[in-house]
Amino acid sequence: MRKKTKRYLILFLVLILSFFTYVFYLKVTITSKIEGKKWNLPSRVYAAPFGIYPGQTVEGGHLFSRLERLGYHPAPGGVRAKGDYSAHSEQIMIYLHDFPYPEEPFQGWVLQLDLSYGKILRMSRADTHEEVFFQELEPELIAGFFENTWEDRTLRKLNEIPPSLIHAVIAIEDERFYQHHGIDPRSIFRAFLTNLRSKEILQGGSTLTQQLVKNFFLNQKRTFSRKINEVIMALIIENRYDKQQILETYLNEIYWGQKGSVGIFGIGKASQFYFDKEVKELTVGESALLAGIIQAPNHLDPRRNYKKAIDRKNIVLRKMLDLRWISVEEYRKALTEKIQIREVPEGGHSAPFFADLVRQQLSANYPASVLNTEGLNIFTTLDVEIQKMADEKLRKNLSLLEKSYPALRSDPSKQLEGCLIAVSPHTGHLIALAGGRNYQVNQFNHATQAHRQPGSIFKPMVYLTAFEQAVKKGRSSILFGARQEKHLPAPNPREAPAKPVASLETITPASLLDDSPVTLTADDKNWSPQNYDKAFRGNVTVRSALENSLNVPTVKLALKIGLDAVIQSARNSGIESPLRPTPSLALGSYEVTPLEMVSAYEVIANQGMKAEIQTIKQVTDTHHKILEGKTLEMREAFSPQAAFLVTRLLQGVIENGTGKRVKEMGFQRPAAGKTGTTSEYNDAWFVGYTPDLLTLVWVGFDQGEKINLTGASAALPVWVDFMKEALEEFPGSDFSPPAHIRFVKVVPSTGLLWEPGCGSDFIEEAFFEGTEPVQSCMAKGTP
């Protein structure tokens, strides 16, 4: 018995010793954090550096705006220090900044640009006169993770903060702050009863000290062990520091909202962010509003949810009155006070949606603690000028749509949204991403998070699959000697007319498809696809079917080539969202993200070569040692011939089909594109590309309400407006055909070989060699 008692006593002493050791450890942690260095090194996110080269125009490259953002300043008297520049009609001198590029830091020198009518003729080093053929400006900083640049904070002493703000925060967050010693069982019980009676969460039981511990020392995971730590650390803090120190630290630490990619932390910055005021100038009503939104800063953001923020403010004021911290007169005045929220000025961090995507991708390899504290440098693919255009064009055109179609504004609580994504088709580099209309209002990234039906912009996947099968069939026939034309009499082009495509027939742009009524069964339900105009055209060519976005022949073609094959093409193109082999698949009935559709079109625009959509080029540590480097990797997803044939058809969409408004709006470069409109008019799309730039635009409402507009009327104008400016510095080159492509004159209505005597109506159609039509428009029996 004595031995057993002794063992229990030893165990008890060990537990007591362990507990006090752990408490000592927590005490050291708290002391080093609060009394030591509070803020750690931020990770810095950079855009792609801008390259300067002979032949470039100063205006088209937006050189001066780039210099201004990078901190260069004009020096009319001549450049003398790094960051100076001088500009004259025939010459620009730029004293380049130093920049710590990975592994090889750059030391600035004077770059001389010789001009002729605004175009750069020659570049050289001013000191050595050595000719320079290409020179990059240092990359622009676009975001920070997470401290300092990321967490915008202006520290304030407690004596700089008005009593009304202090009382407001304590009243709503911890009314017994001055009575408890870190935890407050009475508040926990009272909050439980209040929430139980109201059947919603109106109050929390955590004290201000516990909140400080949670935000300053612990993570946000709701676990029992974290709660125990929170309680112990709150007691330690209350024992070591006085209430004034705790309150001052809390008010400087707490999160108050978001400005683009920058978090607003601390009361000093919050008062500037929301009211453009110093803290000491805050009114009682403004103090109550700020205190109220601590609970859920983004949900209660007065710019986004003004009524909810005001309702919460009034709850705070009532609490202050009940606690006798304001008089009845002050309460009534603050209750009726008109709260003016300051609009956030444009500028600063340039690409919040892009920065969010980068942050998300980095989190897969770097824990939050590393991104917070290790001072990483992240070099990305973004072009700030192109990004500015994307943001501006999207906002402008959505506003124009609302003015032109007042029904879009019938519900003030629902704002028309959109996104614009631009990539380099040759590299997959994401150079601009406008994930929504206004990040300050809505941080939801429609480019990467919105799953919407793509509608008709999915149709090229069907035609790409058909052409790929045709190319593979042609290659196999040649390889295995299946083609025996050399042993057979030459076909007579006047012998018989062309027929609608059969399941084993090779598909070409001139093949005929059947556009007639059909009823199909899927999931035990009958479905009769309709064209947009409810009309049927009989036999139509593949080109006509895609140019005019005809549903019925597209569905029939998908069934002939195999729905599983279409899904496999979508997978090869980068679409990962769930797809099912049902007939409506061909019409884009399954939801995808806009970024997935960009990935799919990038393959077509890059002649079948798949380059993963890339945002991050390099990551370096604080000493500029490379931690991660992305190299350009490509694989052949489709034959270049199949991809080129689709591009040719999509050029026809813009020249003659549903996208012809592109030309009508003044865009004259060679381009390929596709409109998209979902069957219920909930989503409007346009995706198009030139040899140099691929851009997708989506327009719709967040909750999927009808916009009753087509892709050509809602999304296409945004695309045109953006592309006309974004392509100023690119030559107007055409799409180059790959090897084994043949061009043949055909009759556009029948796909038959054109010959003199068939009339003047013909087009020059592209074919994979060996699949050109042999039947002439002069054949017997042809109309």
Side-chain angles (χ1 to χ4, degrees), residues 712-745:
S713 55
L716 182 150
V718 186
W719 186 91
V720 172
D721 198 16
F722 169 76
M723 291 288 277
K724 285 167 73 173
E725 187 172 350
L727 288 169
E728 281 183 354
E729 271 303 298
F730 292 94
S733 55
D734 204 347
F735 299 97
S736 300
H740 308 296
I741 288 292
R742 301 289 180 263
F743 292 91
V744 177
K745 293 177 181 178

Side-chain angles (χ1 to χ4, degrees), residues 396-409 437:
K396 183 187 83 172
N397 282 278
L398 291 180
S399 295
L400 288 174
L401 282 172
E402 289 175 332
K403 291 178 182 177
S404 301
Y405 304 95
L408 294 172
R409 293 183 294 170
R437 186 170 184 166

